Coordinates of all heavy atoms in Angstrom, one line a residue:
F38 N -6.7 9.0 -5.2 CA -7.1 8.1 -6.2 C -7.8 6.9 -5.6 O -8.9 6.5 -6.0 CB -5.9 7.6 -7.1 CG -6.3 6.4 -8.0 CD1 -7.0 6.6 -9.2 CD2 -5.9 5.1 -7.7 CE1 -7.3 5.5 -10.0 CE2 -6.2 4.1 -8.5 CZ -6.9 4.3 -9.6
L39 N -7.2 6.3 -4.6 CA -7.8 5.2 -3.8 C -9.1 5.5 -3.2 O -10.1 4.8 -3.2 CB -6.8 4.7 -2.8 CG -7.0 3.3 -2.2 CD1 -7.2 2.3 -3.2 CD2 -5.8 3.0 -1.3
Q40 N -9.2 6.7 -2.7 CA -10.5 7.2 -2.1 C -11.6 7.2 -3.1 O -12.7 6.8 -2.9 CB -10.3 8.6 -1.5 CG -11.5 9.2 -0.9 CD -11.3 10.6 -0.3 OE1 -10.4 11.3 -0.6 NE2 -12.2 11.0 0.6
D41 N -11.3 7.7 -4.3 CA -12.2 7.8 -5.4 C -12.7 6.4 -5.8 O -13.8 6.1 -6.1 CB -11.7 8.5 -6.6 CG -11.6 10.0 -6.4 OD1 -12.3 10.5 -5.5 OD2 -10.9 10.7 -7.2
V42 N -11.7 5.5 -5.9 CA -12.0 4.1 -6.3 C -12.9 3.4 -5.3 O -13.9 2.8 -5.6 CB -10.6 3.3 -6.5 CG1 -10.9 1.8 -6.6 CG2 -9.9 3.7 -7.7
L43 N -12.6 3.6 -4.0 CA -13.4 3.0 -3.0 C -14.8 3.5 -3.0 O -15.8 2.7 -2.9 CB -12.8 3.2 -1.6 CG -11.5 2.5 -1.3 CD1 -10.8 3.1 -0.1 CD2 -11.7 1.0 -1.2
R44 N -15.0 4.8 -3.2 CA -16.3 5.4 -3.3 C -17.1 4.9 -4.5 O -18.2 4.6 -4.5 CB -16.2 6.9 -3.2 CG -15.9 7.4 -1.8 CD -15.8 8.9 -1.8 NE -15.6 9.3 -0.4 CZ -15.2 10.5 0.0 NH1 -14.9 11.4 -1.0 NH2 -15.0 10.8 1.2
D45 N -16.3 4.8 -5.6 CA -17.0 4.2 -6.9 C -17.4 2.8 -6.7 O -18.4 2.4 -7.3 CB -16.0 4.3 -8.0 CG -15.7 5.7 -8.6 OD1 -16.5 6.6 -8.2 OD2 -14.8 5.9 -9.4
L46 N -16.7 2.1 -5.8 CA -17.1 0.7 -5.6 C -18.2 0.5 -4.5 O -18.6 -0.6 -4.1 CB -15.9 -0.1 -5.2 CG -14.8 -0.3 -6.3 CD1 -13.6 -1.0 -5.7 CD2 -15.4 -1.2 -7.4
G47 N -18.6 1.7 -3.9 CA -19.7 1.7 -2.9 C -19.2 1.6 -1.5 O -20.1 1.3 -0.6
H48 N -18.0 1.8 -1.2 CA -17.4 1.7 0.1 C -17.2 3.1 0.7 O -17.2 4.1 -0.1 CB -16.1 0.9 0.1 CG -16.2 -0.5 -0.4 ND1 -16.9 -1.5 0.3 CD2 -15.8 -1.0 -1.5 CE1 -16.9 -2.6 -0.5 NE2 -16.2 -2.3 -1.6
S49 N -17.0 3.2 1.9 CA -16.8 4.5 2.5 C -15.4 4.6 3.1 O -14.8 3.6 3.4 CB -17.8 4.9 3.6 OG -17.7 4.0 4.7
V50 N -14.8 5.8 3.1 CA -13.5 6.0 3.6 C -13.6 6.5 5.0 O -14.2 7.6 5.2 CB -12.7 6.9 2.7 CG1 -11.3 7.2 3.3 CG2 -12.5 6.3 1.3
S51 N -13.1 5.8 6.0 CA -13.2 6.2 7.4 C -12.1 7.2 7.8 O -12.2 7.9 8.8 CB -13.1 5.0 8.3 OG -11.9 4.3 8.1
G52 N -11.1 7.3 6.9 CA -10.0 8.3 7.1 C -8.9 8.1 6.2 O -8.7 7.0 5.6

Side-chain angles (χ1 to χ4, degrees):
F38 170 76
L39 194 51
Q40 180 179 21
D41 287 343
V42 168
L43 290 167
R44 287 182 175 159
D45 287 348
L46 293 172
H48 302 290
S49 63
V50 175
S51 55

